[in-house]
Amino acid sequence: MQASLQQRMGDHVPVAVEEYDYEGLPPNFTLVENMAAGAFAGIAEHTLMYPFDLLKTRLQILNPSPGGLYTGVSNALSTISKAEGVGSLWRGISSVVLGAGPAHAVYFATYEAVKHAMGGNNGNEHHPLAAATSGACATIASDALMNPFDVIKQRMQVHGSVYRSIAQCTRNVYKNEGLAAFYVSYPTTLCMTVPFTALQFTAYESLSKVINPGKGYDPVTHCVSGALAGAFAAGLTTPLDVIKTLLQTRGAAQDAEIRSAKGLIRAASIIKRQHGYAGFFRGLRPRIITTMPSTAICWSSYEMAKAYFIRHRDD
């Protein structure tokens, strides 16, 4: 299997890094450089894939306004583009850009620190526990910073949103719902992102070792491994993502029951009663479509930035 995977990738040869294992950070690799690599990865990922994230949010809304009903991804894309203009597909992106840089900086800095502490860089064997634990710790730290930006983003993404700027949305949400509105979905977010990230990091580390046993810098390996790991994790955690979306957009909902939803259990019961078990998989396709290239871009960008800093330290 390993040989066939490498053969299908052609004659692409991973770039070797001398003196130390590329997967393990060199002794003089600073926290600032690691955070810069993470910030670059986060901004690149969220900016390029933002329109698909907006489509996912629109499709996950349980009771949208009449103009916000869509039959699928292609219908949503064409309807939004025609009725609201192509630019509306990027509505709320400024919130993501502001939040994604710092959040991903914290994300990857935590990931590398915990993985190193747990011996995840030792040898060529797989370290699923180290990968899963480092991923879980990374997402707990980064989501605490990103959650308010995510709430603002989704409030601006919904059909009929009256918000035209981050400042306007922030003021309105704080005035009408209080500070808690920015973190009402945080426990649910962690319930989704911790298993998602643990699954993604474990799959990514394992796939990388199988496809690229030499562990050199290989853009193809990072891209393929990132995409497959993201799809695997996204599919399994979609029900929790639907619950998170309900909680984060409840203030813009027309349904009184949804507007009063507080917490994971209450939100899940509303979804089950109104749409059955199928309701927990609303937006599954756009979520996977979004996540595969997103995680491919994120890991490729991060590994590229990390390799850049490492090479420049060698010069």
Side-chain angles (χ1 to χ4, degrees), residues 34-50 53 92-109 138-139 141-153 166 294 297-298 301-302:
N34 192 20
M35 294 182 76
F40 172 71
I43 293 173
E45 170 198 350
H46 288 286
T47 301
L48 292 173
M49 297 308 302
Y50 190 82
D53 183 69
I93 192 172
S94 53
S95 175
V96 167
V97 172
L98 280 176
H104 275 69
V106 171
Y107 183 86
F108 281 107
T139 198
S142 65
D143 282 347
L145 181 60
M146 189 64 189
N147 210 80
F149 292 98
D150 204 37
V151 170
I152 295 168
K153 176 200 73 173
I166 298 175
S294 289
I297 291 168
C298 184
S301 301
Y302 174 67

CSV table of all heavy atoms in Angstrom, one decimal, residues 34-50 53 92-109 138-139 141-153 166 294 297-298 301-302:
chain,number,residue,atom,x,y,z
A,34,ASN,N,7.0,29.6,15.4
A,34,ASN,CA,5.9,28.6,15.4
A,34,ASN,C,4.5,29.3,15.3
A,34,ASN,O,3.7,28.8,14.5
A,34,ASN,CB,6.0,27.7,16.6
A,34,ASN,CG,5.2,26.5,16.5
A,34,ASN,OD1,4.8,26.1,15.4
A,34,ASN,ND2,4.9,25.9,17.6
A,35,MET,N,4.3,30.3,16.1
A,35,MET,CA,3.1,31.0,16.1
A,35,MET,C,2.8,31.7,14.8
A,35,MET,O,1.7,31.8,14.3
A,35,MET,CB,3.0,32.0,17.3
A,35,MET,CG,3.0,31.3,18.6
A,35,MET,SD,2.8,32.4,20.0
A,35,MET,CE,1.1,32.8,19.9
A,36,ALA,N,3.9,32.3,14.2
A,36,ALA,CA,3.8,32.9,12.9
A,36,ALA,C,3.3,31.9,11.8
A,36,ALA,O,2.5,32.2,10.9
A,36,ALA,CB,5.1,33.6,12.5
A,37,ALA,N,3.9,30.7,11.8
A,37,ALA,CA,3.6,29.7,10.9
A,37,ALA,C,2.1,29.3,11.1
A,37,ALA,O,1.4,29.1,10.1
A,37,ALA,CB,4.4,28.4,11.1
A,38,GLY,N,1.6,29.2,12.3
A,38,GLY,CA,0.2,28.9,12.6
A,38,GLY,C,-0.7,30.0,12.1
A,38,GLY,O,-1.8,29.7,11.6
A,39,ALA,N,-0.4,31.2,12.4
A,39,ALA,CA,-1.2,32.3,12.0
A,39,ALA,C,-1.3,32.4,10.4
A,39,ALA,O,-2.4,32.6,9.9
A,39,ALA,CB,-0.6,33.7,12.5
A,40,PHE,N,-0.2,32.2,9.7
A,40,PHE,CA,-0.2,32.1,8.3
A,40,PHE,C,-1.2,31.0,7.8
A,40,PHE,O,-2.0,31.2,6.9
A,40,PHE,CB,1.2,31.9,7.8
A,40,PHE,CG,1.3,31.7,6.3
A,40,PHE,CD1,1.0,32.7,5.4
A,40,PHE,CD2,1.6,30.4,5.8
A,40,PHE,CE1,1.1,32.5,4.0
A,40,PHE,CE2,1.7,30.2,4.4
A,40,PHE,CZ,1.4,31.2,3.5
A,41,ALA,N,-1.1,29.9,8.4
A,41,ALA,CA,-1.9,28.7,8.0
A,41,ALA,C,-3.4,29.0,8.2
A,41,ALA,O,-4.3,28.8,7.4
A,41,ALA,CB,-1.5,27.5,8.8
A,42,GLY,N,-3.7,29.6,9.4
A,42,GLY,CA,-5.1,29.9,9.7
A,42,GLY,C,-5.8,30.9,8.8
A,42,GLY,O,-6.9,30.7,8.3
A,43,ILE,N,-5.1,32.0,8.5
A,43,ILE,CA,-5.6,33.0,7.6
A,43,ILE,C,-5.8,32.5,6.2
A,43,ILE,O,-6.8,32.8,5.6
A,43,ILE,CB,-4.7,34.3,7.7
A,43,ILE,CG1,-4.8,35.0,9.0
A,43,ILE,CG2,-5.1,35.3,6.6
A,43,ILE,CD1,-3.8,36.1,9.2
A,44,ALA,N,-4.8,31.8,5.7
A,44,ALA,CA,-4.8,31.2,4.4
A,44,ALA,C,-6.0,30.2,4.3
A,44,ALA,O,-6.8,30.3,3.3
A,44,ALA,CB,-3.5,30.4,4.1
A,45,GLU,N,-6.2,29.4,5.2
A,45,GLU,CA,-7.3,28.4,5.2
A,45,GLU,C,-8.7,29.1,5.2
A,45,GLU,O,-9.5,28.8,4.3
A,45,GLU,CB,-7.2,27.5,6.4
A,45,GLU,CG,-8.4,26.6,6.6
A,45,GLU,CD,-8.5,26.0,8.0
A,45,GLU,OE1,-7.5,26.1,8.8
A,45,GLU,OE2,-9.5,25.4,8.3
A,46,HIS,N,-8.9,30.0,6.2
A,46,HIS,CA,-10.2,30.5,6.3
A,46,HIS,C,-10.6,31.5,5.2
A,46,HIS,O,-11.8,31.6,4.8
A,46,HIS,CB,-10.4,31.2,7.7
A,46,HIS,CG,-10.4,30.3,8.8
A,46,HIS,ND1,-11.6,29.6,9.1
A,46,HIS,CD2,-9.5,29.9,9.7
A,46,HIS,CE1,-11.4,28.8,10.1
A,46,HIS,NE2,-10.1,29.0,10.6
A,47,THR,N,-9.6,32.2,4.7
A,47,THR,CA,-9.9,33.2,3.6
A,47,THR,C,-10.2,32.5,2.3
A,47,THR,O,-11.2,32.9,1.6
A,47,THR,CB,-8.6,34.1,3.4
A,47,THR,OG1,-8.3,34.8,4.6
A,47,THR,CG2,-8.9,35.1,2.3
A,48,LEU,N,-9.5,31.5,1.9
A,48,LEU,CA,-9.7,30.8,0.7
A,48,LEU,C,-11.0,30.0,0.7
A,48,LEU,O,-11.7,29.9,-0.3
A,48,LEU,CB,-8.6,29.8,0.4
A,48,LEU,CG,-7.2,30.5,0.0
A,48,LEU,CD1,-6.1,29.5,-0.1
A,48,LEU,CD2,-7.4,31.3,-1.3
A,49,MET,N,-11.4,29.4,1.8
A,49,MET,CA,-12.6,28.5,1.9
A,49,MET,C,-13.8,29.2,2.5
A,49,MET,O,-14.8,28.6,2.7
A,49,MET,CB,-12.2,27.3,2.7
A,49,MET,CG,-11.1,26.4,2.2
A,49,MET,SD,-11.4,26.0,0.4
A,49,MET,CE,-13.0,25.1,0.5
A,50,TYR,N,-13.8,30.5,2.7
A,50,TYR,CA,-14.9,31.2,3.4
A,50,TYR,C,-16.2,31.0,2.7
A,50,TYR,O,-17.2,30.8,3.4
A,50,TYR,CB,-14.5,32.7,3.6
A,50,TYR,CG,-15.5,33.4,4.5
A,50,TYR,CD1,-15.4,33.3,5.9
A,50,TYR,CD2,-16.6,34.1,4.0
A,50,TYR,CE1,-16.3,33.9,6.7
A,50,TYR,CE2,-17.5,34.7,4.8
A,50,TYR,CZ,-17.4,34.6,6.2
A,50,TYR,OH,-18.3,35.1,7.0
A,53,ASP,N,-17.9,27.9,3.7
A,53,ASP,CA,-18.3,28.0,5.1
A,53,ASP,C,-19.6,28.7,5.3
A,53,ASP,O,-20.4,28.3,6.0
A,53,ASP,CB,-17.2,28.7,5.9
A,53,ASP,CG,-17.5,28.7,7.4
A,53,ASP,OD1,-17.5,27.6,8.0
A,53,ASP,OD2,-17.8,29.8,8.0
A,92,GLY,N,-18.8,38.8,6.4
A,92,GLY,CA,-18.4,38.4,7.7
A,92,GLY,C,-16.9,37.9,7.7
A,92,GLY,O,-16.4,37.5,8.8
A,93,ILE,N,-16.3,37.9,6.6
A,93,ILE,CA,-14.9,37.4,6.5
A,93,ILE,C,-13.9,38.2,7.4
A,93,ILE,O,-12.9,37.6,7.9
A,93,ILE,CB,-14.4,37.3,5.1
A,93,ILE,CG1,-13.1,36.5,5.0
A,93,ILE,CG2,-14.2,38.7,4.5
A,93,ILE,CD1,-12.7,36.2,3.5
A,94,SER,N,-14.2,39.5,7.6
A,94,SER,CA,-13.2,40.3,8.4
A,94,SER,C,-13.1,39.7,9.8
A,94,SER,O,-12.1,39.8,10.4
A,94,SER,CB,-13.7,41.7,8.4
A,94,SER,OG,-15.0,41.9,8.8
A,95,SER,N,-14.2,39.2,10.3
A,95,SER,CA,-14.2,38.6,11.7
A,95,SER,C,-13.3,37.4,11.7
A,95,SER,O,-12.5,37.2,12.7
A,95,SER,CB,-15.6,38.2,12.1
A,95,SER,OG,-15.6,37.6,13.3
A,96,VAL,N,-13.3,36.6,10.7
A,96,VAL,CA,-12.5,35.4,10.6
A,96,VAL,C,-11.0,35.8,10.5
A,96,VAL,O,-10.2,35.2,11.1
A,96,VAL,CB,-12.9,34.5,9.4
A,96,VAL,CG1,-11.9,33.4,9.2
A,96,VAL,CG2,-14.3,33.8,9.8
A,97,VAL,N,-10.7,36.7,9.6
A,97,VAL,CA,-9.3,37.2,9.4
A,97,VAL,C,-8.8,37.7,10.8
A,97,VAL,O,-7.6,37.4,11.1
A,97,VAL,CB,-9.2,38.2,8.3
A,97,VAL,CG1,-7.8,38.8,8.3
A,97,VAL,CG2,-9.6,37.6,7.0
A,98,LEU,N,-9.5,38.5,11.5
A,98,LEU,CA,-9.1,39.0,12.7
A,98,LEU,C,-8.8,37.9,13.8
A,98,LEU,O,-7.9,38.0,14.6
A,98,LEU,CB,-10.1,40.0,13.3
A,98,LEU,CG,-10.0,41.5,12.7
A,98,LEU,CD1,-11.2,42.3,13.3
A,98,LEU,CD2,-8.7,42.1,12.9
A,99,GLY,N,-9.7,37.0,13.8
A,99,GLY,CA,-9.6,35.9,14.8
A,99,GLY,C,-8.8,34.8,14.5
A,99,GLY,O,-8.1,34.2,15.3
A,100,ALA,N,-8.7,34.4,13.2
A,100,ALA,CA,-8.0,33.2,12.8
A,100,ALA,C,-6.5,33.3,13.0
A,100,ALA,O,-5.9,32.3,13.3
A,100,ALA,CB,-8.3,32.9,11.3
A,101,GLY,N,-5.9,34.4,12.7
A,101,GLY,CA,-4.5,34.6,12.9
A,101,GLY,C,-4.0,34.3,14.3
A,101,GLY,O,-3.3,33.3,14.5
A,102,PRO,N,-4.5,35.0,15.3
A,102,PRO,CA,-4.1,34.8,16.7
A,102,PRO,C,-4.6,33.4,17.2
A,102,PRO,O,-3.8,32.7,17.9
A,102,PRO,CB,-4.9,35.8,17.5
A,102,PRO,CG,-5.1,36.9,16.5
A,102,PRO,CD,-5.4,36.2,15.2
A,103,ALA,N,-5.8,32.9,16.8
A,103,ALA,CA,-6.3,31.6,17.3
A,103,ALA,C,-5.4,30.5,16.7
A,103,ALA,O,-5.1,29.5,17.5
A,103,ALA,CB,-7.7,31.4,16.8
A,104,HIS,N,-5.1,30.5,15.5
A,104,HIS,CA,-4.2,29.5,14.9
A,104,HIS,C,-2.8,29.5,15.4
A,104,HIS,O,-2.1,28.5,15.4
A,104,HIS,CB,-4.3,29.5,13.3
A,104,HIS,CG,-5.5,28.8,12.8
A,104,HIS,ND1,-6.8,29.2,13.0
A,104,HIS,CD2,-5.6,27.6,12.1
A,104,HIS,CE1,-7.6,28.4,12.4
A,104,HIS,NE2,-6.9,27.4,11.9
A,105,ALA,N,-2.3,30.7,15.7
A,105,ALA,CA,-1.0,30.9,16.3
A,105,ALA,C,-0.9,30.1,17.6
A,105,ALA,O,0.0,29.3,17.9
A,105,ALA,CB,-0.7,32.3,16.5
A,106,VAL,N,-2.0,30.3,18.4
A,106,VAL,CA,-2.1,29.6,19.7
A,106,VAL,C,-2.3,28.1,19.4
A,106,VAL,O,-1.7,27.3,20.1
A,106,VAL,CB,-3.2,30.2,20.5
A,106,VAL,CG1,-3.5,29.3,21.8
A,106,VAL,CG2,-3.0,31.6,21.0
A,107,TYR,N,-3.1,27.8,18.4
A,107,TYR,CA,-3.4,26.4,18.1
A,107,TYR,C,-2.2,25.6,17.8
A,107,TYR,O,-1.9,24.5,18.4
A,107,TYR,CB,-4.3,26.5,16.9
A,107,TYR,CG,-4.9,25.2,16.4
A,107,TYR,CD1,-6.0,24.6,16.9
A,107,TYR,CD2,-4.3,24.5,15.3
A,107,TYR,CE1,-6.6,23.5,16.4
A,107,TYR,CE2,-4.8,23.3,14.8
A,107,TYR,CZ,-6.0,22.8,15.3
A,107,TYR,OH,-6.5,21.7,14.8
A,108,PHE,N,-1.3,26.0,16.9
A,108,PHE,CA,-0.2,25.3,16.5
A,108,PHE,C,1.0,25.3,17.5
A,108,PHE,O,1.7,24.4,17.6
A,108,PHE,CB,0.3,25.7,15.1
A,108,PHE,CG,-0.5,25.1,14.0
A,108,PHE,CD1,-1.4,25.9,13.3
A,108,PHE,CD2,-0.4,23.7,13.7
A,108,PHE,CE1,-2.2,25.3,12.2
A,108,PHE,CE2,-1.2,23.2,12.7
A,108,PHE,CZ,-2.1,24.0,11.9
A,109,ALA,N,1.1,26.4,18.2
A,109,ALA,CA,2.1,26.5,19.2
A,109,ALA,C,1.8,25.5,20.3
A,109,ALA,O,2.7,24.8,20.8
A,109,ALA,CB,2.1,27.9,19.8
A,138,ALA,N,-4.7,21.8,21.9
A,138,ALA,CA,-4.6,22.9,20.9
A,138,ALA,C,-6.0,23.6,20.7
A,138,ALA,O,-6.1,24.8,20.7
A,138,ALA,CB,-4.0,22.4,19.6
A,139,THR,N,-7.0,22.7,20.5
A,139,THR,CA,-8.3,23.3,20.2
A,139,THR,C,-9.0,23.9,21.4
A,139,THR,O,-9.7,24.9,21.3
A,139,THR,CB,-9.2,22.2,19.6
A,139,THR,OG1,-10.3,22.9,18.9
A,139,THR,CG2,-9.8,21.3,20.6
A,141,ALA,N,-7.4,25.6,23.7
A,141,ALA,CA,-6.8,26.9,23.9
A,141,ALA,C,-7.2,27.9,22.8
A,141,ALA,O,-7.6,29.1,23.1
A,141,ALA,CB,-5.2,26.7,23.8
A,142,SER,N,-7.2,27.4,21.5
A,142,SER,CA,-7.5,28.3,20.4
A,142,SER,C,-9.0,28.7,20.4
A,142,SER,O,-9.4,29.8,20.0
A,142,SER,CB,-7.1,27.7,19.1
A,142,SER,OG,-7.9,26.5,18.8
A,143,ASP,N,-9.9,27.8,20.7
A,143,ASP,CA,-11.3,28.1,20.6
A,143,ASP,C,-11.8,29.1,21.6
A,143,ASP,O,-12.8,29.8,21.4
A,143,ASP,CB,-12.2,26.8,20.8
A,143,ASP,CG,-12.2,25.9,19.6
A,143,ASP,OD1,-11.8,26.4,18.5
A,143,ASP,OD2,-12.6,24.7,19.6
A,144,ALA,N,-11.1,29.2,22.8
A,144,ALA,CA,-11.4,30.2,23.8
A,144,ALA,C,-11.2,31.6,23.2
A,144,ALA,O,-11.9,32.5,23.5
A,144,ALA,CB,-10.5,30.0,25.0
A,145,LEU,N,-10.3,31.7,22.3
A,145,LEU,CA,-10.0,33.0,21.6
A,145,LEU,C,-10.9,33.2,20.4
A,145,LEU,O,-11.3,34.3,20.1
A,145,LEU,CB,-8.5,33.0,21.2
A,145,LEU,CG,-8.0,34.3,20.5
A,145,LEU,CD1,-8.2,35.5,21.4
A,145,LEU,CD2,-6.5,34.1,20.2
A,146,MET,N,-11.2,32.1,19.7
A,146,MET,CA,-11.9,32.2,18.4
A,146,MET,C,-13.4,32.3,18.5
A,146,MET,O,-14.1,32.8,17.7
A,146,MET,CB,-11.5,31.0,17.5
A,146,MET,CG,-12.0,31.1,16.1
A,146,MET,SD,-11.2,32.5,15.2
A,146,MET,CE,-12.2,32.5,13.7
A,147,ASN,N,-14.0,31.7,19.6
A,147,ASN,CA,-15.4,31.6,19.7
A,147,ASN,C,-16.2,32.9,19.5
A,147,ASN,O,-17.2,32.9,18.7
A,147,ASN,CB,-15.8,30.9,21.0
A,147,ASN,CG,-17.0,30.1,20.9
A,147,ASN,OD1,-17.0,29.0,20.5
A,147,ASN,ND2,-18.2,30.7,21.3
A,148,PRO,N,-15.8,34.0,20.1
A,148,PRO,CA,-16.6,35.2,19.9
A,148,PRO,C,-16.5,35.7,18.4
A,148,PRO,O,-17.5,36.1,17.9
A,148,PRO,CB,-15.8,36.3,20.8
A,148,PRO,CG,-15.2,35.4,21.9
A,148,PRO,CD,-14.8,34.2,21.2
A,149,PHE,N,-15.4,35.5,17.7
A,149,PHE,CA,-15.3,35.8,16.3
A,149,PHE,C,-16.2,34.9,15.5
A,149,PHE,O,-16.7,35.3,14.5
A,149,PHE,CB,-13.8,35.7,15.9
A,149,PHE,CG,-12.9,36.8,16.5
A,149,PHE,CD1,-12.1,36.4,17.6
A,149,PHE,CD2,-12.8,38.0,16.0
A,149,PHE,CE1,-11.3,37.4,18.1
A,149,PHE,CE2,-12.0,39.0,16.5
A,149,PHE,CZ,-11.2,38.7,17.6
A,150,ASP,N,-16.3,33.7,15.9
A,150,ASP,CA,-17.1,32.7,15.2
A,150,ASP,C,-18.6,33.1,15.3
A,150,ASP,O,-19.3,32.9,14.3
A,150,ASP,CB,-16.8,31.3,15.7
A,150,ASP,CG,-17.2,30.2,14.7
A,150,ASP,OD1,-16.9,30.4,13.5
A,150,ASP,OD2,-17.7,29.1,15.1
A,151,VAL,N,-19.0,33.5,16.5
A,151,VAL,CA,-20.4,33.9,16.7
A,151,VAL,C,-20.7,35.1,15.8
A,151,VAL,O,-21.7,35.1,15.1
A,151,VAL,CB,-20.6,34.3,18.2
A,151,VAL,CG1,-22.0,35.0,18.3
A,151,VAL,CG2,-20.5,33.1,19.1
A,152,ILE,N,-19.8,36.1,15.8
A,152,ILE,CA,-20.0,37.3,14.9
A,152,ILE,C,-20.1,36.9,13.4
A,152,ILE,O,-20.9,37.4,12.7
A,152,ILE,CB,-18.9,38.3,15.1
A,152,ILE,CG1,-18.9,38.8,16.6
A,152,ILE,CG2,-19.0,39.5,14.1
A,152,ILE,CD1,-17.7,39.6,17.0
A,153,LYS,N,-19.2,36.0,13.0
A,153,LYS,CA,-19.1,35.5,11.7
A,153,LYS,C,-20.5,34.9,11.2
A,153,LYS,O,-21.0,35.3,10.2
A,153,LYS,CB,-18.0,34.5,11.5
A,153,LYS,CG,-17.9,33.9,10.1
A,153,LYS,CD,-17.2,32.6,10.1
A,153,LYS,CE,-18.0,31.5,10.8
A,153,LYS,NZ,-17.4,30.1,10.7
A,166,ILE,N,-18.2,44.3,11.7
A,166,ILE,CA,-17.9,43.5,13.0
A,166,ILE,C,-18.4,44.4,14.2
A,166,ILE,O,-19.0,43.9,15.1
A,166,ILE,CB,-16.4,43.2,13.1
A,166,ILE,CG1,-16.0,42.3,12.0
A,166,ILE,CG2,-16.1,42.5,14.4
A,166,ILE,CD1,-14.5,42.0,12.0
A,294,SER,N,-9.9,22.8,3.2
A,294,SER,CA,-9.4,23.7,4.3
A,294,SER,C,-8.3,23.1,5.1
A,294,SER,O,-7.3,23.7,5.4
A,294,SER,CB,-10.6,23.9,5.3
A,294,SER,OG,-11.6,24.7,4.7
A,297,ILE,N,-5.2,23.0,2.9
A,297,ILE,CA,-4.5,24.3,2.9
A,297,ILE,C,-3.9,24.6,4.2
A,297,ILE,O,-2.7,25.1,4.2
A,297,ILE,CB,-5.6,25.4,2.5
A,297,ILE,CG1,-6.1,25.2,1.1
A,297,ILE,CG2,-5.0,26.8,2.7
A,297,ILE,CD1,-7.3,26.0,0.7
A,298,CYS,N,-4.6,24.3,5.3
A,298,CYS,CA,-4.0,24.7,6.6
A,298,CYS,C,-2.7,23.9,6.9
A,298,CYS,O,-1.7,24.5,7.3
A,298,CYS,CB,-5.1,24.3,7.7
A,298,CYS,SG,-4.6,24.8,9.3
A,301,SER,N,0.1,25.0,4.4
A,301,SER,CA,0.6,26.3,4.7
A,301,SER,C,1.4,26.3,6.0
A,301,SER,O,2.5,26.9,6.0
A,301,SER,CB,-0.6,27.3,4.9
A,301,SER,OG,-1.4,27.4,3.8
A,302,TYR,N,1.0,25.6,7.0
A,302,TYR,CA,1.7,25.5,8.2
A,302,TYR,C,3.1,24.8,8.0
A,302,TYR,O,4.1,25.3,8.4
A,302,TYR,CB,0.9,24.7,9.3
A,302,TYR,CG,1.7,24.5,10.5
A,302,TYR,CD1,2.1,25.5,11.4
A,302,TYR,CD2,2.1,23.2,10.9
A,302,TYR,CE1,2.8,25.3,12.5
A,302,TYR,CE2,2.8,23.0,12.1
A,302,TYR,CZ,3.1,24.0,12.9
A,302,TYR,OH,3.9,23.8,14.0
